[in-house]
Amino acid sequence: MRKLSLLLIFFIGFINAQKLTADEISLINKGDIRTALPIYQTTDEHQHNTLLGLSSEIDPLDKNTAVLVSRMKESLRSTDGGVGIAAPQVGINRKVIWVQRFDKPGEPLEYFINPLITWESEIQNLGPEGDLSIPDFRDQFYRSLVIQLEYVDLKGQKYSEIVEGFTAVIFQHEIDHLSGILIINKKERGSNDHYQKVDAFKKVML
């Protein structure tokens, strides 16, 4: 029964990971594939509509996925202090993100394919957020302090981990992008005793 369930999960994931379209492949490989892809902006109507679109899963074993992952990293590195980026921000409505891991030694940049938040804490932080796709915008937002995350790598290997603090905030921000959610459209939660305000940059014992 367990084997059947695992096969069913794999089959569903395979269906969801639709093949890249010709337009997506063209955009991913446009120009020098070793360089950054341009970052889409809300100030451009077409780009804004792309940012509002829903992203679908991507095949981690497709050679074009590796190119997208690599070029997205260059896009993030080309920014002034960016800490995360999602594929819609480079014009591809697929589930790929990069996040700077402030919770690890050396604070490395890491990619995540088909990421999914499977659990989030009721305790939330209130902290500042900006966005590479929204010029001159910064505001305060509530985010869960701790999340549980599932994702795969370019070999199709599945992982699950628990992330907390500021890094968890980045994950939630970037995964919002995959649902077409921009922080400029998010309504800040009002004061609510159900939530505990904490500093996103500090470790809090639960």
Side-chain angles (χ1 to χ4, degrees), residues 4-160:
L4 182 62
S5 297
L6 290 174
L7 286 173
L8 181 60
I9 291 171
F10 175 80
F11 180 71
I12 292 173
F14 179 78
I15 289 180
N16 287 338
Q18 300 169 353
K19 288 186 177 182
L20 291 165
T21 66
D23 287 343
E24 288 174 325
I25 293 172
S26 176
L27 181 55
I28 290 169
N29 293 282
K30 186 176 182 180
D32 186 343
I33 63 172
R34 296 167 297 180
T35 62
L37 287 163
I39 297 176
Y40 277 32
Q41 301 294 306
T42 55
T43 49
D44 178 283
E45 184 178 0
H46 167 71
Q47 295 180 7
H48 192 184
N49 287 335
T50 299
L51 290 165
L52 295 175
L54 293 176
S55 292
S56 56
E57 291 192 346
I58 193 169
D59 181 359
L61 303 181
D62 188 321
K63 64 180 181 180
N64 294 292
T65 301
V67 176
L68 174 61
V69 167
S70 178
R71 297 195 73 184
M72 282 178 61
K73 182 178 183 180
E74 295 306 314
S75 298
L76 180 56
R77 292 176 63 183
S78 72
T79 67
D80 182 17
V83 295
I85 195 169
Q89 292 181 278
V90 295
I92 305 293
N93 288 121
R94 296 287 179 157
K95 294 183 177 182
V96 182
I97 64 173
W98 277 90
V99 169
Q100 185 163 6
R101 298 299 300 262
F102 290 99
D103 57 340
K104 291 187 175 183
E107 301 179 350
L109 294 174
E110 294 182 355
Y111 74 89
F112 303 85
I113 297 174
N114 300 332
L116 176 67
I117 295 174
T118 58
W119 175 85
E120 53 189 22
S121 68
E122 291 185 352
I123 297 179
Q124 305 218 334
N125 18 340
L126 176 64
E129 293 183 40
D131 194 293
L132 299 176
S133 295
I134 308 174
D136 305 317
F137 178 82
R138 196 168 182 82
D139 207 340
Q140 300 279 326
F141 296 92
Y142 282 102
R143 297 284 188 180
S144 290
L145 176 64
V146 185
I147 62 171
Q148 184 165 2
L149 180 77
E150 290 184 357
Y151 59 93
V152 298
D153 62 16
L154 284 168
K155 296 180 180 179
Q157 178 67 45
K158 187 175 181 179
Y159 299 89
S160 178

